[in-house]
Amino acid sequence: MAVNTIAAVQDAASTTATTPTTAVSEQSVMPPQLRAMRVHKQRIIKTAILAVTLLFLGVPLLCMLIFTMRHPLSGRWSLDPWKAIFTGDGSSLGADLSTLWSGLGTSLALCVVTVIIMLLLLVPVMVIAHIRSHRTERVIEWVATLPLTIPAIVLVVGLGPIYRWLSADVLSTNPIWLCFAYAILVMPYAFRAIAVGLNSIDVLTLCEAARSLGTSWPRVFFRVLMPNLWQSILSASFISISVVLGEYTVASLLGRMNLQVALYQLGQSNSQISTAMSLLALLFGVLLLVSLDLISDAMRRSKEEH
């Protein structure tokens, strides 16, 4: 009798223990209709968010495009501003484009020099700090992100006397020397891009394996680490180019000429040409981002194939 009672209690306990699990498993299995409805709702929400974002970004650009083709006073539609840019002659519209081409050439040269300085400063220092000391890496991160917290106009207050001394005693007033200030401005963005690449690979293991095979440190750096960091280096370079092409405050307050300062001066005489050139600069930035994505995909596929 006692044995039967114990068996009955155990059966009841097992039934009670398995019943919630069975109920949970039945609840977790969603009918296909409900799953399809949920996926459909998520797709609608994603599409709505994407549409709102595209409208938020695209409407101002569309208005800028319309402004370049429609005269603000007469309302006459014309492609003369675009013709002036591509032909290099804005005399018919009362605009001198020599300043624009000078500022564009200066900005392109600044892009090249700034990227070189940024890579020479950041990449070796970040790799050494990542291998040797994570505490030093945190200090470097703190220093590199400082320009994000300091407005550009405040940086100019400190850079002004330095550039005044450099222009008078050491260097010239050539705008190319803005590269030192621009290297500071692009440092936060470049640091984050390179840091992502360093954290995505096992740098210490790669270095130890290469050193155990007798490879020197320069060969470890250039032949082992750099091929694994190319994507991050390209990302840092393209972001730096975008920042340099869009910079206005430092160049204007220091009295130097670059693309944005030239666009501002050109806008005083012909705002349509200035707006059209701004659109082209934005398009160039978009092409840089798209090319970065395409290059990253190509590099990923080549790694998967090999």
Side-chain angles (χ1 to χ4, degrees):
M1 185 68 178
V3 174
N4 294 334
T5 304
I6 294 173
V9 171
Q10 290 177 350
D11 291 339
S14 61
T15 305
T16 305
T18 56
T19 301
T21 306
T22 306
V24 171
S25 62
E26 289 178 355
Q27 292 178 1
S28 62
V29 176
M30 186 181 297
Q33 294 83 359
L34 293 178
R35 192 183 302 115
M37 290 177 61
R38 176 175 292 183
V39 172
H40 183 64
K41 289 181 180 179
Q42 291 177 353
R43 189 175 301 155
I44 292 176
I45 294 173
K46 292 178 182 178
T47 304
I49 294 175
L50 180 61
V52 172
T53 304
L54 290 177
L55 285 175
F56 181 77
L57 297 175
V59 170
L61 298 178
L62 179 61
C63 294
M64 291 174 65
L65 180 62
I66 294 175
F67 177 76
T68 60
M69 296 186 297
R70 184 177 182 273
H71 197 276
L73 298 178
S74 63
R76 184 175 61 88
W77 292 83
S78 174
L79 294 176
D80 291 340
W82 295 95
K83 293 178 182 178
I85 291 176
F86 290 109
T87 59
D89 183 15
S91 57
S92 60
L93 298 176
D96 183 13
L97 299 184
S98 60
T99 304
L100 176 63
W101 303 129
S102 174
L104 178 60
T106 301
S107 289
L108 293 177
L110 280 169
C111 288
V112 176
V113 180
T114 302
V115 167
I116 293 174
I117 294 175
M118 178 270 298
L119 293 179
L120 290 178
L121 284 177
L122 279 184
V123 176
V125 172
M126 290 181 64
V127 169
I128 294 173
H130 191 83
I131 296 173
R132 298 295 185 183
S133 173
H134 288 287
R135 182 178 300 178
T136 306
E137 191 176 16
R138 294 192 190 97
V139 174
I140 295 172
E141 181 179 4
W142 180 78
V143 173
T145 53
L146 272 180
L148 285 179
T149 63
I150 303 175
I153 192 170
V154 178
L155 285 175
V156 173
V157 174
L159 292 173
I162 297 175
Y163 268 92
R164 193 179 304 115
W165 170 72
L166 289 175
S167 301
D169 301 332
V170 182
L171 306 174
S172 62
T173 57
N174 195 311
I176 195 65
W177 303 119
L178 287 173
C179 60
F180 301 118
Y182 286 173
I184 298 175
L185 293 179
V186 305
M187 197 174 294
Y189 313 101
F191 176 87
R192 183 51 52 197
I194 298 173
V196 169
L198 286 174
N199 293 328
S200 63
I201 61 175
D202 194 347
V203 177
L204 188 59
T205 302
L206 290 174
C207 292
E208 290 178 350
R211 290 289 293 167
S212 65
L213 296 174
T215 308
S216 61
W217 277 112
R219 287 180 63 86
V220 171
F221 183 79
F222 289 106
R223 300 296 299 273
V224 177
L225 296 181
M226 286 298 100
N228 291 283
L229 294 175
W230 266 116
Q231 184 175 349
S232 300
I233 291 175
L234 285 177
S235 178
S237 302
F238 287 171
I239 293 174
S240 301
I241 291 172
S242 300
V243 172
V244 172
L245 288 178
E247 204 288 318
Y248 170 78
T249 305
V250 174
S252 176
L253 295 179
L254 290 179
R256 304 299 197 273
M257 177 64 65
N258 68 352
L259 177 60
Q260 298 301 322
V261 176
L263 288 176
Y264 173 77
Q265 294 182 0
L266 181 61
Q268 305 300 312
S269 58
N270 193 300
S271 57
Q272 286 184 296
I273 297 179
S274 176
T275 305
M277 195 64 195
S278 299
L279 276 174
L280 290 178
L282 288 173
L283 179 61
F284 180 70
V286 172
L287 290 177
L288 281 180
L289 296 178
V290 172
S291 62
L292 173 62
D293 191 25
L294 295 176
I295 292 173
S296 301
D297 289 341
M299 294 176 65
R300 192 180 301 111
R301 289 172 186 170
S302 63
K303 287 182 179 180
E304 292 176 355
E305 292 175 357
H306 294 293

